[in-house]
Amino acid sequence: MILTVTLNPSVDRALEVDALIRGEVLRAADSHIDPGGKGVNVSRALLANGVRSTAVVPTGGAEGEQLVDLLNAEGVDLLSVPIAGRTRSNITLAEPDGTVTKINEAGPVLSDAEFAQVSKAVLDAAANADWVVICGSLPPGPSIDAFADLCSRLVGAGSRLAVDSSGPALLAGVAAGAALVKPNREELAEAVGAEPATLGDVIEACRRLRAAGAGAVLASLGADGAILVDADGVLAGVSPVSVPRSTVGAGDALLAGFLSAGARGAAALTEGLAWGAAAVSLPGSRMPTPADLDRTHVRVTPDPDPSRPLHS
Ligand SMILES: Nc1ncnc2c1ncn2[C@@H]1O[C@H](COP(=O)(O)OP(=O)(O)O)[C@@H](O)[C@H]1O
Ligand SMILES: O=P(O)(O)OC[C@H]1O[C@](O)(COP(=O)(O)O)[C@@H](O)[C@@H]1O
């Protein structure tokens, strides 16, 4: 069982518009409402592919009820911790060329007592989990020290921890000794304080995160694919998408696919890239099912040319 933790989940509203024009009334060609938040998406993707998962989510207010209803309708196994604040609602505006503009709310404040309750739920459930996957932004409230403490307690208790977050939360996961971190290009640049221009820059940044405590680094690079740096070495992979529809949740699908295939080696990276590419071809933050997966276009190679420039 893979336990996902989304401290700041959301109800995701995706609107497809012909073009994004500031100051105009835009008519949506299509719209979707999905349960959202990075860990929630990992659980949804795993469930859609027959991998057991439980999602821990703090929920509150009308949106919190809606999120629980949406997740129950999909059949996601939930550990919902009630909170006083209102669960956020995130907006995506998707244009026909695949460009997405996202507006994410900060989310409700999680009080110290509420964070302690969520932490307890996570620590209790972690005992039966193959992986504990903490994903997404931290809501307002919990200090970075409290978050770091949760990561350390999980690692100390023997859990295999994966962290997909940004800024201080990503670094806290690294310092706690997470077995895996999954930064995207911007998160990686922020973590090491340098914008990567080539695959070599990405590999060097991943090595720095490993030296700081992470076991493995899966760096997702949008249309440039992904790089895996772990104790076995360096792998690079790409999965071209002919008609990108929405990149929302692509990183979550990549992580879910990678974990589902054992989180190690070319087979796991291939699986992750197939899931990521499939998510990009689907609207909103819809997660791929086995019927959406095409592994034939995925290319994974060891020790890629470090001088290869990044495009996306
Ligand atoms: N435009 C794209 N074309 C092809 N694949 C993509 C594209 N955008 C994302 N992907 C796939 O989805 C994965 C995750 O996307 P990325 O944008 O890096 O992550 P995140 O969603 O976390 O920001 C990538 O590693 C890649 O496999
Ligand atoms: O916690 P954050 O960083 O605000 O992100 C939350 C958003 O990320 C998502 O999980 C999508 O993730 P990505 O597009 O970054 O892969 C949405 O479902 C959600 O609205």
Side-chain angles (χ1 to χ4, degrees):
M1 186 273 281
I2 295 178
L3 185 72
T4 69
V5 183
T6 311
L7 295 171
N8 202 3
S10 61
V11 173
D12 281 4
R13 288 169 200 281
L15 303 171
E16 296 194 3
V17 295
D18 284 341
L20 192 54
I21 310 166
R22 288 180 64 208
E24 293 287 316
V25 174
L26 305 175
R27 305 281 173 190
D30 204 354
S31 66
H32 310 269
I33 294 184
D34 292 301
K38 296 191 197 304
V40 162
N41 288 340
V42 171
S43 278
R44 293 169 65 219
L46 290 169
L47 174 71
N49 289 275
V51 182
R52 283 182 57 232
S53 169
T54 298
V56 179
V57 277
T59 56
E63 282 83 353
E65 282 176 28
Q66 186 181 12
L67 176 63
V68 170
D69 288 347
L70 288 166
L71 288 169
N72 282 337
E74 288 193 9
V76 173
D77 186 39
L78 265 190
L79 274 171
S80 170
V81 179
I83 59 167
R86 176 186 63 79
T87 296
R88 66 185 171 151
S89 196
N90 291 342
I91 311 278
T92 296
L93 300 173
E95 293 172 80
D97 67 353
T99 305
V100 294
T101 305
K102 294 165 70 175
I103 307 171
N104 290 2
E105 286 189 59
V109 170
L110 214 55
S111 69
D112 288 349
E114 289 167 343
F115 184 69
Q117 277 178 312
V118 175
S119 298
K120 183 173 177 341
V122 172
L123 287 158
D124 288 349
N128 301 315
D130 300 309
W131 281 92
V132 180
V133 190
I134 305 183
C135 304
S137 60
L138 292 191
S143 68
I144 194 65
D145 288 347
F147 178 76
D149 184 58
L150 173 60
C151 293
S152 297
R153 286 171 69 186
L154 284 164
V155 173
S159 293
R160 276 199 293 179
L161 174 66
V163 175
D164 175 3
S165 192
S166 53
L170 173 66
L171 293 177
V174 169
L180 173 69
V181 292
K182 202 246 24 110
N184 65 18
R185 182 173 167 174
E186 292 76 30
E187 290 157 354
L188 190 66
E190 187 187 9
V192 299
E195 186 62 44
T198 63
L199 281 193
D201 295 341
V202 172
I203 293 164
E204 177 53 29
C206 292
R207 287 191 171 130
R208 281 178 60 185
L209 294 188
R210 288 198 71 228
V217 182
L218 175 63
S220 66
L221 305 171
D224 285 309
I227 293 275
L228 173 65
V229 181
D230 64 11
D232 298 328
V234 179
L235 291 172
V238 287
S239 49
V241 174
S242 46
V243 186
R245 194 146 176 217
S246 166
T247 55
V248 181
D252 309 330
L254 170 83
L255 178 57
F258 182 72
L259 291 171
S260 77
R264 202 162 181 178
L269 183 55
T270 300
E271 196 66 9
L273 287 163
W275 292 35
V280 171
S281 310
L282 293 167
S285 54
R286 196 162 299 169
M287 290 293 123
T289 65
D292 300 312
L293 301 177
D294 177 5
R295 297 165 186 88
T296 57
H297 292 113
V298 180
R299 296 281 170 271
V300 170
T301 49
D303 300 319
D305 176 3
S307 66
R308 203 178 93 196
L310 300 178
H311 301 104
S312 53

